[in-house]
Amino acid sequence: MKYNLSRMMCLDIFLSYLPPKPDHKIIHDVKLSGTKTTPLLSWDMFSQNYCKTLANLEIENDIETVRTFARKVQWKNEIDTIFNNRDFEALIITDAEQNIIWVNSGFTKMTGYSKKFAIDKNPKFLQGIDTSIKTKRKIKKKLNHLKPFTEVITNYRKDNTPYKCEVTIIPMYNDTVTHFLAIEKQVV
């Protein structure tokens, strides 16, 4: 039996044509046509899985960076519990005075601002004309209570386009609050 791979839709179909227990001689039975073909035509399936794997690795890397900060500063917060079943795009760590000391790559993707630009700035630089004064007051008040909270605020990207951002802010502490962790995602 001869196999023409150029007519196969994908590797799965080709493999389904093989006898139940192929032996090493099957390779000699495969006839490649003179046309140029890609050996694996189900590249889109590989690509989707590869992209998902990369995204998961990036998330794990971000969480590991937060764990590293936690060990260095000896935070008593339970980092794994903070991230358990929580979706996020951007992570921001500020000092107790709310100056940014670290952002993840998701921050840059979401806002358009580079990590270098954001460092040493207060997150207020993301606010603009349509940012609710009432929401800003609620956030300030909740920050003073030093308890975790979630709010939705209108922020602005570098190109000045507004977006709704759900931000969860968690005070990070050892004996006292030393930093704040903001976990952010864009909402519709």
Side-chain angles (χ1 to χ4, degrees):
M1 180 183 283
K2 300 288 182 198
Y3 301 95
N4 186 335
L5 288 181
S6 66
R7 296 178 189 252
M8 301 291 172
M9 292 296 289
C10 66
L11 183 61
D12 297 341
I13 295 171
F14 170 72
L15 293 175
S16 70
Y17 281 100
L18 293 178
K21 294 183 179 180
D23 62 9
H24 67 281
K25 293 180 183 177
I26 193 72
I27 292 172
H28 300 294
D29 290 340
V30 176
K31 178 184 175 189
L32 296 174
S33 70
T35 61
K36 294 182 181 181
T37 61
T38 305
L40 181 61
L41 295 180
S42 48
W43 192 254
D44 57 334
M45 289 185 290
F46 168 79
S47 178
Q48 288 172 350
N49 187 48
Y50 182 72
C51 291
K52 185 176 181 181
T53 300
L54 284 180
N56 288 338
L57 287 173
E58 189 172 348
I59 289 168
E60 273 304 312
N61 186 49
D62 291 341
I63 294 171
E64 186 55 39
T65 301
V66 174
R67 285 188 192 112
T68 301
F69 273 104
R71 286 189 295 272
K72 183 177 177 182
V73 186
Q74 300 176 341
W75 289 332
K76 294 180 181 176
N77 304 73
E78 181 55 48
I79 302 303
D80 291 333
T81 303
I82 290 172
F83 289 104
N84 191 25
N85 296 320
R86 188 181 304 264
D87 293 332
F88 64 87
E89 293 173 61
L91 294 177
I92 302 170
I93 296 177
T94 68
D95 60 19
E97 290 76 36
Q98 301 165 25
N99 297 308
I100 297 172
I101 61 170
W102 177 80
V103 297
N104 69 342
S105 299
F107 173 86
T108 299
K109 291 174 191 169
M110 190 166 73
T111 67
Y113 290 103
S114 70
K115 293 178 181 187
K116 185 176 180 178
F117 180 85
I119 301 299
D120 293 327
K121 291 194 176 36
N122 186 295
K124 291 177 185 177
F125 81 90
L126 295 167
Q127 299 170 3
I129 193 161
D130 288 332
T131 304
S132 165
I133 293 172
K134 183 178 176 183
T135 302
K136 291 193 303 188
R137 286 183 186 145
K138 285 195 308 188
I139 290 173
K140 185 176 181 178
K141 184 177 179 181
K142 289 178 180 183
L143 280 170
N144 290 331
H145 289 326
L146 301 178
K147 296 200 184 292
F149 66 91
T150 301
E151 282 292 335
V152 175
I153 188 167
T154 300
N155 278 342
Y156 286 80
R157 294 182 184 85
K158 185 177 180 181
D159 67 4
N160 210 29
T161 57
Y163 66 98
K164 295 276 186 201
C165 181
E166 179 185 272
V167 59
T168 299
I169 299 178
I170 302 167
M172 307 303 284
Y173 65 95
N174 45 38
D175 293 329
T176 61
V177 172
T178 61
H179 296 82
F180 291 96
L181 171 64
I183 302 170
E184 300 183 354
K185 65 181 177 180
Q186 187 174 335
V187 293
V188 180

